[in-house]
Amino acid sequence: MAEYRALTPKRLLLIASLLAVGVAAPLVLPAYQLQLTELLLFIVFALAWDLVGGQMGYNSFGNVLFVGLGMYGAAIVQVGLFYDVGLYNAARGGGTQFVFDVPQFITGLALGIPAAALISAFAAWLLGSLVLTMRGHYFAICTLGLGIAAGQIAAGIPWIGAGSGMLTPNPPEALGDVALLLYYLALGLAITCALTFAWLLSTRFGLALNAIRDDEDKAEAMGLKTHAAKVTAWVIAAGFLGAAGALYGNVVRFIDPVQTAFAGATIGVWMILMALLGGKGTLAGPIVGAIVFQIMKELFWTYLLGWQRVALGLLIIAVAVFFPAGIVGFIRERGSAKAKEQNQ
Amino acid sequence: MTSNLLILYEAPALGLQLAIDGILIGAVFALAAYGMALVWGVTNIINVAQGEFVMLGGLISILGAEHGLPLWLTVPLAAAALYALGWLLFYTVIVHLLGRDMFNSVLATFGIAIVMQQVMAHVFGAADRIAASSLGSWFFLDNFVVISKMKVVVFAACIGLGLTLAWFLSRSRKGQAIRAVAQKPEAASILGIETRKVYCLTYSLNAAICGAAGALAATAYTIQPYGGLSYTVRSFMIVVVAGLGNLGGVIWAALGLGVAENFAGFILGTQYQIAFVFGLLVAVLVFRNWRLRRQRKHLE
Amino acid sequence: MTAMLQVTDVTKAFGGVVANDAVSISVPQGAIVGLIGPNGSGKTTLFNAITGAQAIDAGSIRFEGQEISRLLTGEIARAGIIRTYQQPRIYGGLSTRDNMLVSASIRRGSSPSLFRRANAKAIAWADELLDFVGLIEKRDILAGDLSFGQQKLLELAMALSNEPRMLLLDEPTAGINPILIDSVIERLKVANSKFGLTLLVIEHNMPVIMDLAQHIYCLAHGSLLADGTPEAIQNDANVLDAYLGAA
Ligand SMILES: Nc1ncnc2c1ncn2[C@@H]1O[C@H](COP(=O)(O)OP(=O)(O)OP(=O)(O)O)[C@@H](O)[C@H]1O
Ligand SMILES: [Mg+2]
C-alpha cells in the first residue's frame, strides 16, 4: 500500500513525459534501438523477478525458465501455425519453403506472445505448487536447478532444433522496420507490467506478499492463504516473463537453448542483479536497476570484450556484498535518516 | 529409450559396467559434497562456486601434467593453489557474508562462479580437457566390463582424502575448533576460539578439498571451465539427502547418485544426463519437503 | 454441552524433554480460560500444538467438534483460532496500519477480495483498533521500528481485527506499559462479553489472570497440576509449591 500514491497533476506530468521519452527514444537514437528494446525487456525481467524475490521474499534463481519457455513457446506458435515445426528446424529455418508473408508474420506474433505468456504462467502454476513450499537456500538452489534442467532438456529435443537452437520466423521485407515494431511492443509490455504491479502492490494482495516476506509463519497463523498467494504471484510474474521472452526471441532472432533461452548464468542472474542494484522490494528499483545495468553492460561489452562476464560477475559480488539495498533503498535510507535527524 | 532398456535387460554385464563407473565417479562427488557440507554447517553459507573450485583444481593439474609433473605432485599443487584462492576469497568476499541473509551469500558465490568461469576459459581455453593417463584398464567377463585403472586410483584417493579429512575434524585441535564453532559459535568464541579464523580455515580447506577432487578427477574425467555448476548441484543434492555432518551418508548418497546418473545417461541418452541430475535435484527437494510437510515442517 | 476447544491427552516431547505430558484442557464457548505455570512448564508448547505450529506426538485436539490436530496452521486459523506470540510477531517491513489491514478478517466483508484496495470501512476498522491499543499515532511508522511493548499491542490489535472465534494469547501483558494493562484487560472482557470471543490466556501476571479468567489450568513440568476457579487455584497447595519451587 506504501507504493500507491494518488494521481496528482505532477505525477501525471511525470508519467506523460516518461511516455513521451519512451515513444521518441528509438526515433531520436536509432543507433541504440536494439539496446533500448533490450532495456525494456530487462525492465520486465527485473520487475517480474522482484515481485516474487523482493516483494514476497522468495529469491528465485530460475526465473529464466519462464523466459525460455516464452521464447520457445512463441517461436513454436509463430512457425507451427503455418509450417511443420520439426521440418522447419531440420532446415534451420532457412530455405525458400519457410517464408512468412505479412499477415502470417503478424498473426504469428499476435498469437505467439499471449501463448508464450500462458505457457509460462501454466508452468509456474504447476511448478509453484511443488517448489513454493520450500524456503531459503532450498528454494534458491531448487529454482536454479529447474532453470538449468530446462535448458538441458531443450537441448536434447530435435523437434525444436536441439542443441543447435531455433530461429524465429524471418520477418517479411514488406513489413518494413520490424525492429521498431518490436520496440513498441516491448514498450507496451513494460508499461503494462509496471502498471499491473503498481496496482497489485496497492491492493491487499500486495500487503499479503509483503507479509509473507516478513514472517510467513505468522501470515499463515493469521489465516492468510499464503500458498495460494505465493503461487498467484509466481504465475503473474511468469506470465510477464513469458511474454517478454517471446519478444526477446524475436529480437535476437536465434534461440540457443543454453546460451539464450535458459541462460542461468547470464539473463537468469542479471535480472536478479538489476532488481538488487536498483532496490529490491520497491517498484522503482527494478526499473532504475535495469537502466543502470544496461548502460554498464554496454560499456563492458564495448571496452572489456572477452572479459564482460568477469566484470558482471564482479558487479554481482560487489552489489550482493556491499550494496544490497540498491540505489532506491540507499536514497530512502538517507531520506529516513535525515527525517530522523530533523525529528530530534 | 525403451530400446536402451532392452539392451540393459539382454546384456546385464552392461548394467554392471554402468554401476561400477557410477560408483567410481561417485567418490569425486562425495568429496566435493563433504566440503560443501563443511562450509554449510560451519558458516551457514552455500558455496555456489563449489563446482568451479573443482574445475580449477582439474585445470591446474592438467597444466601441471602437461609440464611433466606426476599425479602425486599435481594433486597437492592444485590443493595448495585452491587453499590460497579460498583464503583470498574469504577475506575479500565471504567474510562480509557471515551472518547475513542467505540470499546474499548464494548470489555472491554465484558471482564468484561466473567470474571464475570466464577467467578459467581465458587462461586454460574453453575446451573439454582431460589429463592423459597411461595406466590402462582391467577387462572382465569376456571384455564386457572394462575398468579403467586410473578411475580406481581416483576412487581410492578420494575416499582416502575424505577419511583423512574426517579424522582431521575429529582428532586434531583445529578440527575440534571447527566443530566447536559449528555447534555453538558464541560459546566457542567465549572459550577463546577466534571464530573468524576458523571460518577462514573452513572455507579455504573446502577449496583445497575441491581442488584435490578436481585434480584427481581430471585424470579420468573431462574438465571444462563452464562445467562447474553441475558439481555444485550434485554436492548440494548429496548434502540434502545425507544431512549435514554425516560422512557415511554423504558417501552413500554420492555413490548412489553416480550410479543413478550413469544409468539415466544410458537409458535417456547422454545428452540428458545433466538434465537428469538437475531434474533429480528438484525431485529430491520436492520429496523431502513433502515428507516434512506431513510433520508440519518444511525445508528451510 | 461439549466444549468449544477440547484438548485430550496431548503429548509432545523434544528429545528427552516431555514438554506436554498427556495434557487435557477444555474451553467452553464464550469463556475466558487461563493457563498458568512456571517457566518451561509447557504452556507455549500447548499453544503450538493447538494452532498447528508443531506436530503432536499423541492425543486429540477438537475445535467445535472437529479434530484439528492433523490440520495445517492456516486451516486452523481459518477455522477461527488465532493466536499471539510470547515474542511478538508482526510484519516489520510494513507500516503499523498496513499490518492491521492485512490482518483484518475477510469474513467480515470489509475487504471482500485480496485484489482490492482497502476501503474506507476497512481503514476505519483498523484505525479504531489502533486507537484502542494506543498506537494510532504510530500508524505510518514501520512496525519493525516499534518497541517491544508496542509490537505486543499491535499484535493484539491485529489478532482482534481478524475477528477469530477463539483467541489464544501468550502473555499479553508482558512488556506492556503498566498504565495500559488495565485497559487491555477491559477491552478483552468487552470483546468476550459483547462479541462472544472465547479466550485462552497464558499469563504470568497473577493479578491479571485472576481478574480476567473464570477458570484456570496450571501446568508444571509438562503435566497438568491443577485446575479450578481463580480462588481455588490461588489456594491450591500444589500450585503454590510449583511456583515457589520454581522460584
Ligand atoms: N522447539 C523446541 N525444541 C526443543 N525444546 C523445546 C522447544 N520448544 C520448547 N522446548 C522445551 O519444552 C519445554 C517447555 O517449553 P515452553 O516454551 O512450552 O514453556 P512455557 O511454559 O511457555 O515457558 P515460559 O513461561 O518461559 O514461556 C522447555 O523445557 C523448553 O526448553
Ligand atoms: Mg512460553
Side-chain angles (χ1 to χ4, degrees):
Chain A
M1 210 127 319
E3 296 288 339
Y4 172 72
R5 292 186 197 90
L7 280 178
T8 57
K10 210 172 139 195
R11 302 200 80 207
L12 271 176
L13 192 71
L14 181 74
I15 290 173
S17 44
L18 277 179
L19 198 63
V21 169
V23 172
L27 308 172
V28 179
L29 299 168
Y32 291 100
Q33 192 172 300
L34 183 66
Q35 285 87 339
L36 287 169
T37 312
E38 199 179 47
L39 167 62
L40 290 169
L41 297 174
F42 282 178
I43 288 176
V44 178
F45 292 164
L47 278 171
W49 184 85
D50 195 61
L51 185 71
V52 175
Q55 301 288 352
M56 195 171 90
Y58 272 70
N59 299 300
S60 165
F61 282 75
N63 274 2
V64 72
L65 170 69
F66 305 121
V67 176
L69 282 177
M71 262 187 212
Y72 274 112
I76 289 167
V77 170
Q78 285 175 271
V79 173
L81 282 174
F82 310 104
Y83 299 106
D84 182 294
V85 177
L87 292 178
Y88 172 89
N89 281 315
R92 312 285 320 113
T96 44
Q97 327 149 244
F98 301 105
V99 181
F100 296 82
D101 61 26
V102 174
Q104 283 178 331
F105 189 80
I106 295 294
T107 316
L109 268 186
L111 294 179
I113 298 168
L118 286 179
I119 291 168
S120 292
F122 181 69
W125 177 73
L126 274 184
L127 293 169
S129 315
L130 294 176
V131 302
L132 283 165
T133 50
M134 294 168 210
R135 299 184 191 174
H137 289 326
Y138 295 93
F139 179 76
I141 308 278
C142 186
T143 48
L144 181 66
L146 274 177
I148 293 174
Q152 295 290 333
I153 292 170
I157 304 175
W159 188 65
I160 54 169
S164 25
M166 176 168 180
L167 289 161
T168 56
N170 227 340
E173 294 264 335
L175 194 58
D177 195 350
V178 176
L180 196 63
L181 171 70
L182 290 171
Y183 172 87
Y184 285 120
L185 285 175
L187 181 66
L189 183 66
I191 291 174
T192 314
C193 183
L195 291 181
T196 309
F197 286 10
W199 166 71
L200 271 180
L201 294 174
S202 75
T203 64
R204 265 170 53 95
F205 179 72
L207 288 182
L209 297 190
N210 293 161
I212 290 168
R213 174 195 62 200
D214 288 349
D215 188 342
E216 184 172 347
D217 290 330
K218 169 75 180 179
E220 186 74 10
M222 292 299 289
L224 273 177
K225 295 194 173 172
T226 54
H227 188 68
K230 288 188 289 181
V231 175
T232 307
W234 219 32
V235 165
I236 294 170
F240 279 103
L241 287 168
L247 287 174
Y248 201 49
N250 277 282
V251 169
V252 297
R253 299 285 331 276
F254 170 61
I255 307 172
D256 181 281
V258 179
Q259 301 298 328
T260 338
F262 303 100
T266 53
I267 299 172
V269 58
W270 291 349
M271 58 174 99
I272 307 174
L273 176 62
M274 290 182 251
L276 207 62
L277 188 61
K280 212 178 155 199
T282 65
L283 195 58
I287 300 173
V288 174
I291 296 171
V292 175
F293 172 84
Q294 178 69 331
I295 294 170
M296 290 179 107
K297 179 177 134 269
E298 287 304 312
L299 291 176
F300 291 165
W301 250 250
T302 315
Y303 297 107
L304 297 171
L305 201 64
W307 296 91
Q308 325 88 317
R309 283 212 197 184
V310 173
L312 285 172
L314 290 175
L315 184 64
I316 291 172
I317 298 170
V319 170
V321 170
F322 299 109
F323 200 54
I327 297 167
V328 172
F330 179 73
I331 294 170
R332 278 200 189 161
E333 269 167 30
R334 296 234 344 217
S336 69
K338 257 194 193 155
K340 267 186 193 161
E341 256 170 44
Q342 281 168 357
N343 271 346
Q344 285 167 357
Chain B
M1 194 181 122
T2 37
S3 64
N4 288 347
L5 272 175
L6 222 74
I7 295 176
L8 267 185
Y9 178 73
E10 283 172 359
L14 191 59
L16 188 62
Q17 174 82 59
L18 290 172
I20 292 173
D21 279 338
I23 289 172
L24 293 178
I25 182 80
V28 178
F29 302 162
L31 207 49
Y34 194 41
M36 175 177 271
L38 188 63
V39 171
W40 187 349
V42 177
T43 64
N44 198 27
I45 285 173
I46 304 240
N47 182 39
V48 181
Q50 194 79 350
E52 277 66 31
F53 288 176
V54 175
M55 292 298 126
L56 182 57
L59 290 168
I60 289 174
S61 80
I62 290 172
L63 190 71
E66 281 169 2
H67 286 80
L69 293 183
L71 183 65
W72 57 268
L73 268 180
T74 57
V75 174
L77 180 73
L82 264 291
Y83 188 95
L85 178 70
W87 188 90
L88 194 72
L89 285 174
F90 181 84
Y91 280 110
T92 48
V93 179
I94 306 298
V95 73
H96 303 290
L97 299 169
L98 296 169
R100 289 259 297 275
D101 185 24
M102 81 78 216
F103 166 68
N104 289 307
S105 62
V106 171
L107 188 61
T109 51
F110 199 175
I112 293 175
I114 291 171
V115 172
M116 284 182 69
Q117 287 168 3
Q118 202 171 33
V119 171
M120 290 190 292
H122 271 289
V123 176
F124 301 98
D128 285 3
R129 292 158 64 113
I130 186 163
S133 98
S134 50
L135 291 184
S137 301
W138 287 300
F139 298 89
F140 300 98
L141 302 176
D142 297 334
N143 297 349
F144 261 117
V145 176
V146 183
I147 299 178
S148 147
K149 290 180 186 169
M150 201 63 225
K151 287 186 181 175
V152 175
V153 170
V154 172
F155 176 85
C158 283
I159 297 290
L161 261 175
L163 293 175
T164 312
L165 184 66
W167 177 85
F168 168 79
L169 286 177
S170 64
R171 291 282 177 270
S172 76
R173 274 193 79 81
K174 282 198 167 151
Q176 281 168 347
I178 289 180
R179 283 163 27 123
V181 171
Q183 271 151 20
K184 291 208 168 88
E186 293 86 16
S189 74
I190 291 168
L191 288 174
I193 298 175
E194 288 185 70
T195 49
R196 179 181 285 206
K197 281 201 171 150
V198 170
Y199 290 141
C200 178
L201 173 68
T202 310
Y203 195 79
S204 317
L205 199 58
N206 167 51
I209 297 165
C210 291
L216 286 166
T219 58
Y221 306 96
T222 52
I223 296 288
Q224 215 269 343
Y226 291 101
L229 199 54
S230 62
Y231 278 86
T232 302
V233 163
R234 287 177 181 120
S235 305
F236 183 80
M237 186 169 15
I238 291 164
V239 178
V240 169
V241 171
L244 289 174
N246 174 2
L247 179 60
V250 163
I251 292 177
W252 284 119
L255 302 187
L257 174 64
V259 173
E261 216 180 272
N262 258 354
F263 272 92
F266 180 79
I267 295 167
L268 305 170
T270 39
Q271 74 271 31
Y272 286 122
Q273 184 160 337
I274 299 293
F276 172 79
V277 174
F278 288 88
L280 188 64
L281 166 81
V282 176
V284 161
L285 287 175
V286 167
F287 177 72
R288 286 261 322 201
N289 199 51
W290 175 74
R291 293 255 314 256
L292 282 174
R293 195 160 167 76
R294 295 196 309 178
Q295 302 161 36
R296 296 173 164 181
K297 292 184 200 144
H298 44 76
L299 284 174
E300 187 164 28
Chain C
M1 195 201 97
T2 57
M4 187 179 206
L5 179 73
Q6 183 69 54
V7 174
T8 317
D9 291 333
V10 162
T11 298
K12 171 75 184 175
F14 298 104
V17 183
V18 183
N20 282 163
D21 190 359
V23 174
S24 300
I25 68 169
S26 96
V27 182
Q29 166 104 43
I32 302 181
V33 173
L35 184 59
I36 63 170
N39 289 115
S41 57
K43 304 180 296 292
T44 300
T45 304
L46 190 61
F47 268 24
N48 287 339
I50 295 169
T51 56
Q54 283 162 352
I56 56 173
D57 300 337
S60 137
I61 303 171
R62 291 180 161 269
F63 179 65
E64 297 185 324
Q66 184 200 2
E67 181 68 36
I68 59 168
S69 62
R70 295 274 169 272
L71 297 185
L72 297 173
T73 308
E75 294 164 340
I76 295 171
R78 288 189 286 278
I81 304 181
I82 295 291
R83 74 177 291 189
T84 65
Y85 296 81
Q86 196 167 343
Q87 299 294 320
R89 289 173 76 164
I90 43 84
Y91 309 119
L94 291 180
S95 75
T96 301
R97 186 197 256 162
D98 283 347
N99 268 272
M100 296 298 294
L101 292 174
V102 75
S103 305
S105 145
I106 301 175
R107 288 186 291 280
R108 192 171 201 257
S110 53
S111 288
S113 150
L114 268 183
F115 293 98
R116 292 273 173 79
R117 216 163 268 158
N119 56 22
K121 206 170 138 198
I123 293 176
W125 171 234
D127 286 356
E128 182 192 330
L129 285 166
L130 280 179
D131 193 28
F132 154 64
V133 294
L135 288 176
I136 189 73
E137 253 127 58
K138 310 273 181 194
R139 65 186 163 222
D140 295 323
I141 290 182
L142 280 190
D145 291 340
L146 297 176
S147 71
F148 180 93
Q150 289 169 336
Q151 291 188 356
K152 231 142 165 160
L153 288 167
L154 172 60
E155 195 186 29
L156 177 64
M158 286 159 68
L160 288 172
S161 84
N162 194 280
E163 298 177 291
R165 286 222 283 293
M166 175 177 264
L167 184 54
L168 312 192
L169 301 171
D170 200 341
E171 303 192 15
T173 65
I176 287 187
N177 184 345
I179 303 168
L180 279 170
I181 289 184
D182 281 347
S183 74
V184 167
I185 293 175
E186 217 36 58
R187 176 75 190 207
L188 290 175
K189 281 184 176 167
V190 170
N192 172 258
S193 60
K194 248 174 115 176
F195 304 112
L197 176 65
T198 308
L199 292 170
L200 177 59
V201 186
I202 296 177
E203 193 47 82
H204 272 307
N205 186 334
M206 284 307 143
V208 165
I209 197 69
M210 296 300 160
D211 175 17
L212 190 62
Q214 298 135 2
H215 193 95
I216 295 177
Y217 288 89
C218 178
L219 285 176
H221 301 297
S223 34
L224 206 58
L225 191 66
D227 76 288
T229 60
E231 296 76 36
I233 287 289
Q234 254 168 329
N235 300 319
D236 189 302
N238 286 335
V239 173
L240 291 175
D241 259 11
Y243 270 90
L244 294 177

